[in-house]
């Protein structure tokens, strides 16, 4: 599944980024890359941005970009 | 002279360290993108004078925005690099450190925000980190000055190329280092963290945003009004005005009296340089500048603005920007000049053009707002409401329209959201003072000069000539009396003055609304104009201004027909 379908407060692991070189590099700079654990903090109404925590950083990610982040839930 | 560069991720405190080293004050806030230009200063270290350069934050050595590009260009010119690292985000920050270590520049790490690691349950083995990297690593708390002395003492130990790795394995190496030097112990959420989470969830975040916005307006007006009513107005009319009028009159030089006091020495009735010219900036505008920037600085330092950006993202996408466009637009409520500079945090040319237009069209700057409020308040809140609503509506509609017609798409929001932080009163007031100072030094002389020019036009009879030639246009299209022509002509010098200068003309409230809307929108003030020119180039500036002027003219004439 992708990041937009994760519920608020759930932890997940990034499996891959389904996007071009630009998106991959952009996310990577902020520490979002395969095998990294992230925590979804919030999502907005009507396809608004998703906020996640990676390490100790909170990052807001637009809905379309969040769709490209493929994750799996961890307990 | 050797150059020392401060380089690091956004919002790690580079500018605070810069201020500590050089004694030069720069605006610091708690959100990424406060510094979009470089600032130079000097510091004496070990009896040698160094040039210190503060740079915009960057996440990696491959730039994705103008601000980052500036940082990377500067990198080539530095002799020594102080890599400022956020100790609470070691992994992401070390990614840049490892990249910097491959550059041929001596490097030293300032492990900043070190005090926050303790609250967060993070333990860093600084010695070990130093050993692995092979360069000095100095824990610092820039905001209190802790560690800054050690940083300068160890500057001479800065080294480069001490840590070799394969480019593809960079993240893996970062991971290994972090694993070795950092220990995290579990701890409970603090109040601020819970509050921070609540601000970005729609159910709690939207009510919080509404409360904060209402409070912002209420507090800004409350402080501004009371400062005027109980302090500055009495000071002006009981002390300053009688004495200055008595003094000038005692000189008995007729022409000087005309210029300095004008025929009507009462403030806001004539164009006296020492009467109205002093009253507008110091009694009319300064209190609002003070109160607005007090509230804005508070929100900036707490770190609330990026959170507002998350909530507003969907809405801003409709008018061609993403959520981070909130930053320039909010800055524009204070003064358009820093707002225009901050458009650099936006990625594409399309966004920058839309943001520039929206900054001009969506709301007046604080001095203009103060003047609109003070001129219209005697006719009731209704007219103030109409003026601001029309302006906001014009801005939003233009954004919507531009978003439809300009080619290209709005990039998606992708931004770091800083933690909410407890404000430091001394930093807050330093910033407030810097903003007030720039108003006093840069804006006040122009205000006074503008009044002088209009006064000269009055005295010399130039007003009549201007009114006759340009008069029919204003009368026919805007329904405004032709005598306000000089105000329109010279209004671009300082737009706040232009609105204030309407006061002596006894306009009806409807005429005031139309002219306030027109004067707010028709052109940016001269200082803003030059910044737009610098940021967007001649061709785009020209296009932007034509667009803005046509919108202003059509909306104002429409308004004249309706109201």
């Amino acid at each position: 599944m992708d990041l937009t379908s994760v519920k608020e407060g759930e932890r997940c692991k990034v499996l891959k980024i389904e996007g071009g070189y630009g998106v991959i590099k952009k996310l990577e700079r902020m520490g979002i890359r395969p095998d990294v654990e992230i925590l979804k903090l919030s999502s907005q109404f009507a396809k608004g941005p998703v906020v996640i925590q990676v390490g100790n950083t909170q990052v807001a990610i637009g809905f379309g970009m969040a769709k490209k982040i493929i994750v799996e839930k961890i307990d | 002279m050797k150059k020392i560069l401060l380089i690091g991720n956004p919002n790690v405190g580079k500018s605070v360290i810069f201020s500590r080293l050089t004694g030069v004050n720069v605006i610091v806030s708690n959100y990424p993108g406060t510094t979009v230009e470089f600032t130079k200063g000097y510091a004496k270290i070990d009896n040698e004078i160094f040039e210190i350069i503060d740079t915009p934050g960057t996440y990696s050595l491959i730039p994705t925005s103008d601000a980052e590009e500036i940082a990377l260009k500067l990198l080539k010119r530095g002799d020594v690099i102080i890599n400022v690292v956020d100790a609470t985000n070691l992994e992401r920050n070390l990614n840049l450190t490892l990249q910097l270590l491959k550059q041929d520049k001596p490097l030293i790490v300032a492990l900043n925000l070190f005090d926050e690691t303790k609250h967060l349950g993070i333990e860093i083995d600084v010695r070990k980190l130093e050993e692995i990297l092979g360069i000095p690593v100095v824990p610092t708390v820039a905001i209190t000055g802790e560690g800054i002395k050690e940083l300068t003492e160890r500057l001479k130990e800065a080294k480069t190329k001490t840590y070799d790795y394969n480019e593809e394995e960079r993240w893996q190496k970062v991971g290994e280092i972090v694993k070795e030097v950092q220990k995290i112990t579990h701890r409970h959420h603090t109040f601020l963290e819970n509050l921070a989470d609540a601000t970005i969830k729609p159910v709690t975040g939207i009510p919080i945003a509404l409360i904060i916005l209402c409070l912002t307006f209420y507090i800004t007006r409350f402080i501004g009004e009371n400062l005027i009513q109980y302090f500055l107005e009495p000071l002006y009319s009981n002390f300053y005005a009688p004495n200055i009028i008595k003094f000038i009159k005692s000189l008995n030089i007729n022409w000087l009296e005309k210029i300095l006091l004008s025929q009507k020495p009462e403030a806001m009735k004539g164009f006296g340089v020492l009467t109205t010219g002093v009253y507008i900036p110091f009694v009319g505008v300064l209190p609002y500048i003070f109160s607005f920037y007090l509230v804005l600085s508070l929100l900036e330092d707490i770190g609330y603005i990026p959170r507002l950006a998350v909530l507003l993202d969907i809405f801003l996408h409709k008018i061609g920007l993403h959520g981070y466009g909130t930053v320039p637009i909010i800055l524009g409520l204070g003064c358009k000049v820093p707002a225009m500079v901050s458009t650099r945090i936006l990625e594409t040319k399309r966004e920058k053009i839309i943001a520039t237009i929206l900054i001009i069209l969506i709301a007046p700057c604080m001095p203009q707002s103060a003047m609109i409020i003070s001129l219209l308040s005697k006719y009731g809140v209704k007219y103030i409401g109409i003026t601001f609503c029309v302006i906001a509506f014009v801005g939003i509609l233009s954004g919507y329209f531009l978003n439809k017609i300009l080619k290209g798409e709005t990039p998606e929001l992708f931004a770091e959201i800083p933690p909410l932080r407890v404000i430091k009163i001394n930093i807050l007031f330093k910033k407030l003072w810097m903003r007030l100072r720039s108003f006093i030094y840069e804006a006040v002389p122009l205000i006074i000069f503008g009044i002088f020019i209009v006064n000269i036009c009055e005295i010399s009879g130039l007003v009549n000539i201007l009114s006759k030639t340009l008069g029919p246009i204003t009368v026919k299209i805007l329904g405004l009396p032709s005598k306000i022509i000089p105000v329109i002509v010279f209004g671009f010098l300082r737009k706040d003055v232009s609105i204030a200068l309407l006061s002596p003309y006894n306009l009806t409230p409807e005429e005031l609304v139309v002219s306030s809307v027109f004067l707010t929108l028709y052109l940016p003030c001269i200082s803003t104009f030059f910044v737009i020119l610098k940021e967007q180039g001649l061709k785009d500036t020209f296009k932007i201004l034509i667009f803005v002027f046509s919108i202003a003219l059509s909306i104002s004439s429409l308004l004249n027909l309706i109201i």
Side-chain angles (χ1 to χ4, degrees):
Chain A
M1 62 179 176
D2 66 64
L3 187 58
T4 59
S5 39
V6 177
K7 287 198 194 98
E8 275 180 14
E10 278 184 342
R11 289 195 167 277
C12 48
K13 191 160 115 181
V14 178
L15 294 180
K16 63 172 173 175
I17 313 291
E18 273 185 352
Y21 179 81
V23 178
I24 292 174
K25 285 288 152 198
K26 211 169 173 181
L27 289 166
E28 194 199 83
R29 286 147 34 95
M30 212 78 99
I32 303 162
R33 60 202 154 81
D35 280 342
V36 163
E37 262 183 41
I38 56 182
L39 168 68
K40 178 152 168 185
L41 291 170
S42 77
S43 51
Q44 309 292 317
F45 303 122
K47 300 191 174 179
V50 169
V51 181
I52 60 150
Q53 177 151 346
V54 49
N56 208 23
T57 313
Q58 297 187 359
V59 187
I61 306 171
F63 191 85
M65 204 188 282
K67 272 241 171 254
K68 293 176 183 153
I69 304 175
I70 309 301
V71 296
E72 86 181 342
K73 248 194 274 180
I74 45 177
D75 311 313
Chain B
M1 193 179 345
K2 278 193 177 164
K3 292 188 176 74
I4 301 176
L5 241 53
L6 289 158
I7 289 192
N9 282 187
N11 211 35
V12 296
K14 292 176 293 298
S15 297
V16 189
I17 293 195
F18 174 80
S19 291
R20 285 276 166 201
L21 288 172
T22 59
V24 175
N25 287 325
V26 280
I27 295 227
V28 295
S29 299
N30 177 24
Y31 61 85
T34 310
T35 310
V36 287
E37 269 181 310
F38 67 92
T39 319
K40 275 193 223 170
Y42 300 92
K44 198 170 169 189
I45 299 165
D46 288 341
N47 286 323
E48 191 182 339
I49 294 183
F50 289 91
E51 186 178 304
I52 318 276
I53 302 171
D54 183 25
T55 68
T58 181
Y59 290 106
S60 87
L61 293 185
I62 308 152
T64 56
S65 75
D66 289 359
E68 287 192 348
E69 208 154 302
I70 292 171
L72 299 173
K73 266 188 199 146
L74 287 165
L75 179 62
K76 298 191 179 78
R77 307 209 324 238
D79 297 299
V80 185
I81 295 166
I82 298 178
N83 175 210
V84 184
V85 164
D86 174 356
T88 65
N89 275 303
L90 207 52
E91 186 158 348
R92 192 193 64 205
N93 281 262
L94 282 182
N95 176 46
L96 179 67
T97 309
L98 289 202
Q99 292 179 55
L100 286 169
L101 273 170
K102 284 213 165 165
Q103 304 291 310
D104 208 4
K105 311 273 182 192
L107 195 68
I108 174 169
V109 169
L111 201 54
N112 199 33
L113 298 166
F114 200 69
D115 56 331
E116 285 192 17
T117 56
K118 287 163 207 144
H119 315 306
L120 290 171
I122 299 170
E123 213 179 297
I124 298 173
D125 188 339
V126 182
R127 275 263 173 85
K128 199 175 242 169
L129 183 59
E130 213 174 77
E131 240 169 68
I132 297 172
L133 294 176
I135 52 171
V137 176
V138 183
T140 55
V141 184
I143 223 140
T144 61
E146 228 170 292
I148 300 296
K149 192 161 173 273
E150 195 191 338
L151 187 68
T152 56
E153 282 167 357
R154 298 192 63 190
L155 201 65
K156 51 182 177 294
E157 297 170 38
K159 279 194 265 313
T160 185
K161 295 192 169 167
T162 49
Y163 183 87
D164 200 32
Y165 60 95
N166 211 330
E167 198 52 38
E168 286 83 56
E169 291 175 338
R170 193 188 333 120
W171 276 108
Q172 201 189 321
K173 290 286 172 196
V174 169
E176 283 168 17
I177 298 174
V178 170
K179 213 171 185 183
E180 211 161 316
V181 302
Q182 180 176 273
K183 241 191 268 159
I184 297 181
T185 40
H186 184 74
R187 79 204 153 93
H188 287 286
H189 256 41
T190 62
F191 167 73
L192 265 186
E193 282 166 329
N194 285 326
L195 182 67
D197 287 349
T199 58
I200 45 168
K201 289 182 180 146
V203 182
T204 42
I206 293 171
I208 292 175
L210 289 175
I211 292 169
I212 288 182
L213 289 181
C214 289
L215 276 178
T216 302
F217 285 115
Y218 181 75
I219 295 172
T220 305
R221 253 194 89 184
F222 179 81
I223 298 177
E225 258 170 26
N226 282 293
L227 270 179
I228 294 176
Q229 202 181 340
Y230 295 108
F231 179 58
L232 290 161
E233 171 73 51
L235 195 70
Y236 178 89
S237 26
N238 300 335
F239 178 74
Y240 173 82
N243 285 313
I244 201 83
I245 292 173
K246 207 165 104 192
F247 172 71
I248 302 289
K249 288 207 164 157
S250 73
L251 296 175
N252 229 344
I253 310 170
N254 201 311
W255 63 268
L256 193 69
E257 200 181 308
K258 266 188 182 166
I259 290 174
L260 297 182
L261 303 178
S262 88
Q263 256 95 347
K264 295 175 185 152
E266 296 97 329
M268 309 295 280
K269 294 269 191 309
F271 299 113
V273 169
L274 287 183
T275 52
T276 304
V278 169
Y279 188 89
I280 291 176
F282 291 108
V283 182
V285 175
L286 192 64
Y288 281 101
I289 298 265
F290 170 80
S291 59
F292 174 75
Y293 278 129
L294 178 68
V295 180
L296 178 71
S297 308
L298 210 72
L299 291 177
E300 280 181 339
D301 289 3
I302 291 173
Y304 181 68
I305 290 168
R307 289 163 193 278
L308 193 60
V310 171
L311 294 177
L312 289 177
D313 185 62
I314 310 166
F315 167 70
L316 284 179
H317 265 280
K318 302 253 182 294
I319 55 174
L321 296 174
H322 63 55
Y324 229 66
T326 313
V327 172
I329 288 175
I330 287 187
L331 288 178
L333 300 179
C335 175
K336 310 287 181 198
V337 172
M340 290 300 172
V341 180
S342 77
T343 57
R344 278 188 206 171
I345 57 177
L346 303 172
E347 296 99 331
T348 63
K349 189 74 196 172
R350 180 181 185 267
E351 271 186 295
K352 282 175 199 169
I353 289 178
I354 294 179
T356 305
I357 291 173
L358 284 183
I359 292 167
I360 304 174
L361 292 185
I362 215 160
C365 62
M366 205 59 224
Q368 281 176 309
S369 302
M371 284 294 121
I372 292 173
I373 293 168
S374 86
L375 283 193
L376 281 170
S377 58
K378 53 178 176 253
Y379 304 109
V381 186
K382 183 184 139 199
Y383 292 103
I384 301 178
I386 294 175
T387 309
F388 282 95
C389 286
V390 166
I391 294 172
F393 179 71
V394 169
I396 292 167
L397 208 66
S398 311
Y400 185 78
F401 173 69
L402 287 169
N403 188 34
K404 292 271 177 237
I405 61 156
L406 288 184
K407 269 186 229 134
E409 267 179 33
T410 311
E412 290 200 68
L413 175 67
F414 184 65
E416 189 185 339
I417 308 296
L420 292 185
R421 290 193 164 113
V422 180
I423 49 153
K424 299 275 190 298
I425 294 292
N426 57 333
I427 301 255
L428 179 82
F429 276 97
K430 215 183 243 175
K431 178 155 76 171
L432 185 59
W433 166 238
M434 282 171 65
R435 285 172 158 162
L436 288 181
R437 195 181 53 186
S438 85
F439 172 75
I440 293 168
Y441 287 163
E442 285 152 36
V444 171
L446 270 174
I447 294 181
I448 295 174
F449 181 68
I451 287 169
F452 171 74
I453 297 272
V454 175
N455 196 15
I456 293 285
C457 287
E458 280 277 280
I459 297 169
S460 65
L462 197 64
V463 170
N464 293 329
I465 301 169
L466 281 172
S467 306
K468 267 190 194 124
T469 45
L470 296 169
I473 306 172
T474 44
V475 177
K476 275 208 185 107
I477 300 178
L478 302 174
L480 297 174
S482 59
K483 57 191 174 189
I484 72 160
I485 291 275
V487 175
I488 296 178
V489 173
F490 297 107
F492 73 95
L493 275 181
R494 273 305 294 186
K495 303 226 298 176
D496 40 349
V497 203
S498 65
I499 289 169
L501 289 184
L502 296 172
S503 161
Y505 291 113
N506 294 317
L507 301 183
T508 64
E510 286 80 13
E511 285 173 336
L512 274 176
V513 170
V514 176
S515 45
S516 297
V517 169
F518 182 70
L519 286 172
T520 301
L521 303 180
Y522 79 128
L523 283 176
C525 73
I526 194 137
S527 332
T528 311
F529 169 76
F530 281 114
V531 187
I532 301 176
L533 197 63
K534 191 173 146 223
E535 297 297 320
Q536 314 303 345
L538 187 65
K539 220 175 89 193
D540 285 327
T541 304
F542 192 64
K543 282 188 210 157
I544 288 169
L545 293 189
I546 291 204
F547 180 84
V548 164
F549 189 80
S550 359
I551 294 272
L553 202 61
S554 26
I555 291 297
S556 311
S557 53
L558 198 66
L559 193 61
N560 170 45
L561 295 176
I562 303 171
I563 202 169

